[in-house]
Amino acid sequence: MEVKNFAAWDYVVFAALFIVSSGIGVFFAIKERKKATSKEFLIGGRQMSFGPVALSLTASFMSAVTVLGTPAEVYRFGASFTLFFIAYGFVIIFTSELFLPVFYRSGITSTYEYLQLRFNKPVRYAATVIYIVQTVLYTGVVVYAPALALNQVTGFDLWGSVFATGIVCTFYCTLGGLKAVVWTDAFQMVVMIVGFLTVLIQGSMKAGGFHNVLEQAANGSRLQIVDFDADPLRRHTFWTISVGGTFTWLGIYGVNQSTIQRCISCKTEKHAKLALYFNLLGLWIILVCAVFSGLIMYSYFKDCDPWTSGMISAPDQLMPYFVMEIFDKMPGLPGLFVACAFSGTLSTVAASINALATVTFEDFVKSCFPSLSDKISTWTSKGLCLLFGVLCTSMAVAASLMGSVVQASLSIHGMCGGPMLGLFSLGLVFPFVNWKGAIGGLLTGITLSSWVTIGAFVYPAPDVKTRPLPLSVEQCVPTNLTTSAPSVFPSRPELADTWYSLSYLYFSAVGCISCILAGILISFITGLQRGEDINPLLIRPVCNLFCFWSKKYRALCWCGVQHGQEPEQDDLEDSTAWKHTGESVLQNGLRTESPAPMPGFNPDDKSCDNMALEKITHF
């Protein structure tokens, strides 16, 4: 494989990304040195505005997996990835209208505090452990992907790149806390968009113009976007992407600590919702850029596929190889693209480290040592950031064995995120589910989603189901061609071509739906939870949407939860001040005898002020 090295200007551009990112961490470490509290460090004092938070959310979840993996997916499988446009829309609506109001108004720092309030401590701790495992695994993939790109385009040592990435992320996250993470993400989001735009402009020019790109993509069947085949074994169809993709990304957004932590850092609930909706625009922009990059790349390589011909060793190297081809005489621009890929990584890894430190501190450290001083709490939080930075970087070694970075990352989220989504849905939507149903549903969801995910990894689906589109090597230089021996497949069990061949986008749906069904069944068997014993703030009464014409039917669907004690506020827009000082508030079965309007609620714009919540919330 031919390796093209960086020019001096490429190193300058690339190094500037690390310098600015680290500088932001140092800036906030100095600026916030007098506000040395764990809440200031972990959630920015709950005074962030929606603009930087929106950019931060987009940058964190549109990582190097998107920069490298999505164009390669479009190159090989076509532009059906565009249908994630629909999935992202549903995800943001559900997150902002179903999950966020409950998390925000409760004044919690870790989303898993909710599970203890709604169920009990074992459910909370089980969910926290699963989240830590999921995030460490996913972050390993995210660290490995841009290191692979750097290795491909410059010849740098792969693992040296991995550890350099981890060190820089850990440095500014540990120094500056959430504010450094958010503002660095905002800067890195700009770098990502600029990097994509340079590829789109230069690539379309090299491929003969944008019109020619679309014509060549159509001739190569890359523009067949909508396929209504309902077969769940097909890799990408309208249903797998719009339905399965919604489940997958809702597990990433709706109940993920990294997302919710930045939303609750906003100064009002209105700002938190605006951050999510503006973030949706960012998701769509990055998606469009990634899809068109894949189409341009196909048009450029349509007669000589570098992967099939052996010029590169993996599909995820297509994008960096393409960049080095089109910018071969333009020093500095290859460095800009690699900075684009690394921007996604730095933002994602830093956000993950910060979220991991937060849940570990809130769910474990403070439970064991409730009387820690502010100074010790802050230094403990910084130490946890450092610990998880080292752990996430080390996990990149395992990521090298996972194959396609897009499928690997979404499979991890499906395996763990789906059951977690089901668990929180049981708590918010089904008032009659008890703690036994919650823990049983979680274990059922994890078991089934792990079974199908691991099975799919061991026995990959055959091409007849994944349906990669044809690639040509007709005009490749003969010396570049490689002759591959016929593939010899080991004996496959009967489930390999059915259950294990399920589209990877359905892994999350399997975990979520099985968790909900098992939780409901176990609750009926073991005795339903009394609605009167549940604080109405912990339940989102979605039945109001379907029984809006009848107070009687709405009350029936509430299963005894006392929403009716708040006249004319059926949608939880005004709720009770239920968080009180001390550990006693975190006990299942808390009952509020005399509800009062929640401090900080503004009925005019239907939002809450986090600072008012802070005055009544102490842990």
Side-chain angles (χ1 to χ4, degrees):
M1 176 170 50
E2 181 184 1
V3 175
K4 299 181 179 180
N5 295 321
F6 266 14
W9 280 108
D10 296 317
Y11 288 105
V12 171
V13 173
F14 181 66
L17 171 71
F18 285 89
I19 293 171
V20 173
S21 298
S22 301
I24 293 174
V26 173
F27 171 78
F28 279 102
I30 296 173
K31 181 183 177 184
E32 308 293 328
R33 65 187 183 281
K34 295 182 179 179
K35 302 178 182 179
T37 65
S38 60
K39 284 193 178 295
E40 187 71 30
F41 181 80
L42 295 173
I43 53 175
R46 300 184 189 268
Q47 281 297 289
M48 302 295 294
S49 58
F50 70 89
V53 172
L55 291 173
S56 175
L57 286 170
T58 304
S60 294
F61 291 99
M62 294 289 102
S63 64
V65 170
T66 303
V67 176
L68 301 180
T70 301
E73 289 282 317
V74 173
Y75 178 87
R76 296 177 61 206
F77 297 98
S80 57
F81 229 79
T82 309
L83 294 173
F84 272 104
F85 197 94
I86 300 172
Y88 292 159
F90 282 129
V91 166
I92 297 303
I93 292 172
F94 281 122
T95 301
S96 61
E97 305 302 332
L98 178 61
F99 296 104
L100 176 64
V102 174
F103 293 141
Y104 192 96
R105 298 172 194 184
S106 64
I108 60 178
T109 301
S110 164
T111 54
Y112 307 103
E113 292 178 54
Y114 168 83
L115 296 175
Q116 184 172 344
L117 291 165
R118 175 64 176 84
F119 299 114
N120 58 15
K121 277 188 176 182
V123 177
R124 174 184 181 179
Y125 291 154
T128 302
V129 170
I130 291 170
Y131 170 75
I132 291 173
V133 172
Q134 168 197 358
T135 305
V136 170
L137 287 173
Y138 173 71
T139 308
V141 175
V142 172
V143 171
Y144 174 72
L148 179 64
L150 188 62
N151 174 259
Q152 168 67 27
V153 299
T154 69
F156 274 7
D157 180 75
L158 179 62
W159 301 114
S161 305
V162 166
F163 294 121
T165 304
I167 290 170
V168 172
C169 297
T170 306
F171 173 75
Y172 72 77
C173 181
T174 303
L175 278 182
L178 183 69
K179 286 187 178 180
V181 171
V182 168
W183 283 104
T184 307
D185 287 352
F187 161 70
Q188 290 161 356
M189 178 65 184
V190 174
V191 175
M192 288 177 67
I193 293 177
V194 172
F196 263 130
L197 288 177
T198 57
V199 173
L200 290 173
I201 294 171
Q202 180 68 7
S204 60
M205 291 174 60
K206 288 280 188 176
F210 191 68
H211 176 75
N212 187 60
V213 168
L214 293 179
E215 183 179 345
Q216 296 294 341
N219 293 338
S221 303
R222 262 63 184 179
L223 295 184
Q224 295 178 3
I225 297 174
V226 180
D227 180 355
F228 288 107
D229 188 347
D231 184 359
L233 307 185
R234 289 280 308 280
R235 178 183 175 85
H236 289 162
T237 66
F238 175 84
W239 305 111
T240 58
I241 295 178
S242 60
V243 177
T246 297
F247 274 98
T248 300
W249 280 93
L250 194 57
I252 296 172
Y253 259 78
V255 298
N256 188 292
Q257 172 67 22
S258 183
T259 302
I260 300 302
Q261 181 175 338
R262 276 170 285 182
C263 288
I264 63 178
S265 73
C266 292
K267 51 189 174 184
T268 66
E269 183 182 337
K270 184 176 181 180
H271 271 262
K273 287 188 175 183
L274 284 173
L276 283 169
Y277 283 112
F278 274 91
N279 154 68
L280 177 59
L281 294 177
L283 294 178
W284 283 343
I285 291 171
I286 296 295
L287 176 63
V288 169
C289 289
V291 169
F292 277 110
S293 294
L295 295 178
I296 291 171
M297 188 163 58
Y298 170 76
S299 178
Y300 186 84
F301 290 129
K302 68 182 186 304
D303 296 321
C304 181
D305 170 40
W307 178 42
T308 308
S309 64
M311 297 175 186
I312 59 174
S313 58
D316 300 315
Q317 296 173 357
L318 280 164
M319 190 65 175
Y321 183 85
F322 173 62
V323 166
M324 292 305 291
E325 282 282 316
I326 63 175
F327 292 132
D328 59 338
K329 296 181 180 179
M330 304 176 70
L333 292 182
L336 179 61
F337 166 75
V338 176
C340 169
F342 268 85
S343 291
T345 292
L346 294 173
S347 59
T348 303
V349 174
S352 297
I353 291 171
N354 190 262
L356 287 167
T358 300
V359 297
T360 304
F361 181 79
E362 293 290 333
D363 296 348
F364 294 116
V365 176
K366 289 187 71 173
S367 296
C368 299
F369 306 99
S371 302
L372 290 177
S373 66
D374 283 339
K375 184 176 181 180
I376 295 177
S377 296
T378 303
W379 280 105
T380 302
S381 301
K382 290 177 180 286
L384 288 171
C385 283
L386 180 61
L387 172 65
F388 282 113
V390 173
L391 185 58
C392 290
T393 305
S394 302
M395 280 305 301
V397 178
S400 64
L401 306 175
M402 291 184 180
S404 168
V405 292
V406 169
Q407 182 165 344
S409 62
L410 294 184
S411 296
I412 291 169
H413 277 303
M415 183 170 61
C416 301
M420 296 294 287
L421 175 62
L423 177 62
F424 280 96
S425 298
L426 285 173
L428 270 76
V429 181
F430 301 97
F432 55 84
V433 171
N434 60 30
W435 72 269
K436 296 175 184 176
I439 199 74
L442 178 62
L443 293 176
T444 302
I446 286 289
T447 300
L448 289 178
S449 59
S450 299
W451 179 20
V452 66
T453 302
I454 295 172
F457 179 75
V458 176
Y459 300 102
D463 285 350
V464 68
K465 294 299 181 183
T466 59
R467 298 191 182 181
L469 296 173
L471 298 168
S472 173
V473 292
E474 290 181 1
Q475 296 185 17
C476 289
V477 178
T479 55
N480 287 340
L481 298 176
T482 59
T483 304
S484 58
S487 300
V488 178
F489 294 99
S491 59
R492 294 165 62 89
E494 292 184 5
L495 290 177
D497 295 326
T498 52
W499 177 241
Y500 297 157
S501 293
L502 187 71
S503 172
Y504 70 96
L505 291 173
Y506 280 135
F507 294 169
S508 185
V510 167
C512 178
I513 294 172
S514 61
C515 175
I516 291 174
L517 293 179
I520 292 174
L521 179 61
I522 294 171
S523 295
F524 272 103
I525 294 173
T526 59
L528 301 179
Q529 173 74 43
R530 282 170 48 86
E532 295 83 354
D533 295 334
I534 302 175
N535 194 286
L537 184 62
L538 303 178
I539 305 295
R540 193 68 171 154
V542 295
C543 59
N544 291 0
L545 297 173
F546 307 101
C547 305
F548 60 89
W549 70 90
S550 171
K551 291 184 178 180
K552 176 182 177 181
Y553 289 128
R554 276 184 290 174
L556 181 65
C557 293
W558 290 341
C559 301
V561 179
Q562 302 300 306
H563 295 298
Q565 291 185 6
E566 299 164 313
E568 299 182 3
Q569 297 293 339
D570 294 329
D571 293 327
L572 280 183
E573 298 300 354
D574 187 11
S575 49
T576 60
W578 55 275
K579 288 206 72 176
H580 302 284
T581 304
E583 180 66 19
S584 60
V585 73
L586 291 176
Q587 300 297 325
N588 191 39
L590 174 68
R591 187 173 181 177
T592 304
E593 298 296 338
S594 53
M598 184 173 65
F601 177 73
N602 184 346
D604 295 329
D605 62 4
K606 298 182 180 181
S607 66
C608 300
D609 188 329
N610 238 333
M611 293 308 293
L613 286 173
E614 281 291 291
K615 294 176 182 177
I616 64 166
T617 306
H618 302 284
F619 279 97

